[in-house]
Amino acid sequence: MQAPLTIHVDYSLRAYRAVTTERWTEAITEAGEKIGRPLNRWERAASLGFWQLVVPLVWWRKRRSMGHCLFRLDAEGLTRDSDGFGPQGLPWSGFRRAQALPSGWLFHTERSAMFIPKECVDAAQEEALISLVPPALWTAPT
């Protein structure tokens, strides 16, 4: 049995902007699918401009309310212990999917997601993180 993995996270604006921009790309695609056509370049530009204005405000609020986070991953699941909310844990069965993004890892639940930025993880931790997450979560559909 693999030892639990502990990762300390203080969200930087750079990391938060990166993950939200990566998610924005998916959201634009999903919006186009909902309306039955791809968004045109003006719709995309307006959406991205709005997104870029809102992201720093959301990051500031999140950082202020959440503070420092300590993630613990093991064979059973993932727990996030934050200054603002205390410990919140879920077994792996409580997650819909796990996403490896260029900026880090996003763990989707039914109502939200937990993000671990790559800037907070060294190579050994990255390897352990990937091996602790059940393979079915990495390949789960959106």
Side-chain angles (χ1 to χ4, degrees):
M1 184 169 172
Q2 192 168 2
L5 172 63
T6 301
I7 300 170
H8 296 271
V9 174
D10 284 308
Y11 294 104
S12 69
L13 177 57
R14 183 174 51 95
Y16 195 71
R17 187 181 296 277
V19 71
T20 55
T21 300
E22 291 161 7
R23 286 292 297 143
W24 173 82
T25 304
E26 282 186 33
I28 287 298
T29 301
E30 291 168 6
E33 290 170 357
K34 285 181 183 175
I35 63 172
R37 65 170 175 78
L39 272 60
N40 66 41
R41 71 181 186 169
W42 301 112
E43 291 167 326
R44 292 174 67 89
S47 173
L48 182 59
F50 177 75
W51 192 267
Q52 293 299 325
L53 289 173
V54 169
V55 165
L57 299 173
V58 173
W59 167 79
W60 177 80
R61 183 177 178 273
K62 182 177 184 102
R63 182 156 166 108
R64 190 168 166 212
S65 67
M66 193 170 282
H68 176 81
C69 294
L70 180 67
F71 286 89
R72 289 184 187 90
L73 295 86
D74 60 25
E76 303 302 314
L78 184 152
T79 300
R80 178 182 62 200
D81 191 356
S82 67
D83 294 341
F85 296 108
Q88 298 173 318
L90 280 176
W92 291 121
S93 63
F95 290 91
R96 288 186 309 124
R97 74 177 172 140
Q99 246 184 314
L101 300 168
S103 61
W105 299 272
L106 198 56
F107 298 93
H108 298 266
T109 67
E110 283 300 317
R111 298 173 46 123
S112 65
M114 295 183 194
F115 175 61
I116 300 177
K118 281 192 178 176
E119 67 184 24
C120 298
V121 177
D122 64 31
Q125 289 174 315
E126 180 174 351
E127 186 178 315
L129 182 150
I130 291 167
S131 71
L132 284 166
V133 178
L137 284 177
W138 293 117
T139 59
T142 309

